[in-house]
């Protein structure tokens, strides 16, 4: 089992920045590709970003490319999502997810473990 705990969400004005963290425990962190997803009220959960096990490869949804950066620190068993130039449409619950020994999954069905999420609200 892998336990994931997100933090760093909050209320920010449009154009502002937030950094989300997801701390993992229970297994060898570097064995897992990591991803961030988000879900807004009344909408489907959507892919945001993913990072490979080493951190050497990353992928992004078109809607966040150039504004968000995913990274990981395997020594700290933590994955991050730096969010810049935030827009009201970025408002959602952000969840991190882990998948064992797969390169860099980009769909939610590929992930094995999920955190509870952290709320991000961007005001206009």
């Amino acid at each position: 089992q892998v336990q994931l705990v997100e933090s760093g969400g909050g209320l920010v004005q449009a154009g502002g920045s937030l950094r989300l963290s997801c701390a993992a425990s229970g297994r060898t962190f570097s064995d897992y590709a990591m991803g961030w997803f988000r879900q807004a009220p009344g909408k489907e959960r959507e892919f945001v970003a993913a990072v490979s096990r080493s951190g050497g490869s990353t992928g992004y949804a078109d809607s966040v490319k150039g504004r968000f950066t995913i990274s990981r620190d395997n020594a700290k068993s933590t994955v991050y999502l730096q969010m810049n130039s935030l827009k009201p449409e970025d408002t959602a619950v952000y969840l991190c997810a882990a998948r064992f020994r797969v390169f860099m999954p980009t769909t939610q069905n590929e992930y094995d473990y999920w955190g509870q999420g952290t709320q991000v609200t961007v005001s206009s």
Side-chain angles (χ1 to χ4, degrees), residues 4 6 22 33-37 95-99 111-115:
L4 303 172
E6 301 93 337
C22 174
M34 300 297 296
W36 284 99
F37 289 76
L95 307 100
C96 71
R99 171 63 192 266
Y111 283 88
D112 299 317
Y113 302 101
W114 292 85

Side-chain angles (χ1 to χ4, degrees), residues 7-56:
S7 61
L11 174 64
V12 63
Q13 288 188 331
S17 298
L18 281 175
R19 188 175 85 152
L20 306 183
S21 299
C22 174
S25 61
R27 288 285 192 266
T28 302
F29 183 65
S30 59
D31 280 342
Y32 291 82
M34 300 297 296
W36 284 99
F37 289 76
R38 66 187 181 186
Q39 189 162 18
K43 294 189 177 181
E44 296 289 319
R45 187 175 294 181
E46 64 174 357
F47 169 74
V48 174
V51 62
S52 62
R53 291 158 56 198
S54 68

Side-chain angles (χ1 to χ4, degrees), residues 24-122:
S25 61
R27 288 285 192 266
T28 302
F29 183 65
S30 59
D31 280 342
Y32 291 82
M34 300 297 296
W36 284 99
F37 289 76
R38 66 187 181 186
Q39 189 162 18
K43 294 189 177 181
E44 296 289 319
R45 187 175 294 181
E46 64 174 357
F47 169 74
V48 174
V51 62
S52 62
R53 291 158 56 198
S54 68
S57 296
T58 56
Y60 299 92
D62 288 343
S63 59
V64 306
K65 205 171 290 184
R67 300 188 297 123
F68 291 10
T69 303
I70 188 171
S71 62
R72 65 189 296 161
D73 184 337
N74 285 346
K76 295 183 178 180
S77 298
T78 302
V79 61
Y80 304 98
L81 186 67
Q82 178 67 44
M83 306 186 295
N84 298 330
S85 302
L86 282 161
K87 304 174 182 180
E89 51 263 45
D90 294 319
T91 295
V93 174
Y94 283 71
L95 307 100
C96 71
R99 171 63 192 266
F100 183 70
R101 290 190 178 178
V102 172
F103 175 58
M104 196 170 63
T106 59
T107 63
Q108 58 176 319
N109 291 337
E110 297 179 270
Y111 283 88
D112 299 317
Y113 302 101
W114 292 85
Q116 292 298 310
T118 186
Q119 177 69 47
V120 171
T121 303
V122 184

